[in-house]
Amino acid sequence: MTGAGSFISFEGIDGSGKSTQARLLAETLRNRGHDVVLTREPGGSPGAEEIRRLVLEGDPDRWSAETEILLFTAARRDHLEKTILPALAAGKIVITDRFADSTRLYQGITRGDLRGIVDRLHAMMIGREPDLTFVIDMDPGLGLARALARRGTEERFESFGEDLQVRMRAGFLSLAEEFRNRCVVIDGARPIEVVAGDVAAVVHARLDADLIA
Ligand code: ADP
Ligand code: TYD
């Protein structure tokens, strides 16, 4: 099969290597002749990139968890309408660095149990899951060290610290169980090329088996 219209997401704690692996997978698939759109959340369309600045910069207490759910979902809706759905309709492979699983965790469990609200809003406004999700798993201390080494202006979530990372890691592993038909857990604490090799092997196997279009 061609892989046309496949939707792949990367999830995991900050610093786990999602952006690196999303970029490498895009390169690998392009080299194989696929038409690939590489995108990210929050962001991925001009409107959603504006919302990204609102949610990632400034005081960690700037927004309540509920307001954040609305902002991330608004950004995702715009990303879906303007970038993801048109690309899938044109037969492209879309690779996104984070999608709705991030909201299920970051807004759903970190400040009380708001998962129900996240899910209801998702069903109403998004209603689409990736065909394949890579959960890049690793020790939270390592992820945080990598994320802090790369430190920029987008610190709102990273400044929540290692305790949050520990809960996030457990949360991502449990989401991978919950959505086991689309999620594959990858050990991210290995050299970049080794992780990329595992990711590419899964995608090639699925494309060859016609499982993600
Ligand atoms: P994320 O998108 O999950 O936050 P990044 O891909 O931005 O993670 O990686 C965070 C930092 O760690 C970057 O500086 C990147 O070069 C580095 N990095 C990514 N993957 C690995 C790896 N497997 N081993 C060592 N360093 C890595
Ligand atoms: P990202 O740029 O992927 O950061 P990193 O490369 O450090 O993983 O995402 C920025 C932050 O946004 C990250 O800390 C997770 C957070 N986030 C949410 O809280 N909810 C969401 O729905 C998404 C997509 C991201």
Side-chain angles (χ1 to χ4, degrees):
M1 72 142 256
T2 61
S6 298
F7 182 24
I8 301 172
S9 65
F10 281 83
E11 296 281 1
I13 58 174
D14 294 358
S16 57
K18 297 175 302 298
S19 323
T20 304
Q21 295 302 327
R23 184 173 43 75
L24 290 175
L25 178 62
E27 268 170 35
T28 302
L29 290 172
R30 282 177 186 138
N31 289 340
R32 272 194 151 204
H34 293 285
D35 207 343
V36 177
V37 171
L38 176 61
T39 184
R40 68 161 181 187
E41 290 206 349
S45 61
E49 289 290 335
E50 287 193 37
I51 298 175
R52 179 183 179 99
R53 280 190 289 281
L54 289 176
V55 287
L56 296 190
E57 295 178 18
D59 192 321
D61 298 325
R62 186 176 185 186
W63 310 110
S64 73
E66 289 82 355
T67 307
E68 250 172 45
I69 293 171
L70 292 167
L71 289 169
F72 279 109
T73 307
R76 181 161 307 121
R77 172 77 195 203
D78 194 63
H79 185 208
L80 194 69
E81 282 177 10
K82 307 276 174 48
T83 304
I84 298 173
L85 292 179
L88 293 175
K92 298 177 184 174
I93 296 180
V94 175
I95 300 174
T96 185
D97 179 355
R98 295 194 186 278
F99 195 65
D101 294 323
S102 286
T103 317
R104 290 187 174 105
L105 285 190
Y106 285 83
Q107 284 66 48
I109 70 166
T110 50
R111 285 178 284 171
D113 181 8
L114 298 178
R115 173 73 192 274
I117 294 178
V118 172
D119 283 342
R120 286 206 295 283
L121 206 54
H122 180 79
M124 248 190 308
M125 289 296 158
I126 309 297
R128 167 91 204 209
E129 301 294 347
D131 301 300
L132 175 62
T133 297
F134 287 104
V135 173
I136 310 290
D137 178 55
M138 70 166 50
D139 175 70
L142 179 56
L144 192 63
R146 283 190 195 167
L148 293 177
R150 185 201 50 184
R151 199 180 257 273
T153 50
E154 295 179 341
E155 289 178 7
R156 272 195 70 234
F157 290 85
E158 280 154 19
S159 58
F160 286 159
E162 187 165 348
D163 174 53
L164 175 68
Q165 295 274 78
V166 169
R167 292 167 66 198
M168 287 294 120
R169 180 198 199 175
F172 276 119
L173 291 175
S174 109
L175 268 190
E177 272 293 305
E178 184 179 342
F179 297 105
R180 77 171 74 74
N181 58 333
R182 68 173 164 84
C183 290
V184 175
V185 178
I186 301 276
D187 175 5
R190 297 172 299 159
I192 291 177
E193 328 70 67
V194 177
V195 178
D198 278 8
V199 167
V202 170
V203 172
H204 292 154
R206 300 237 175 169
L207 290 177
D208 292 342
D210 205 2
L211 287 178
I212 60 165

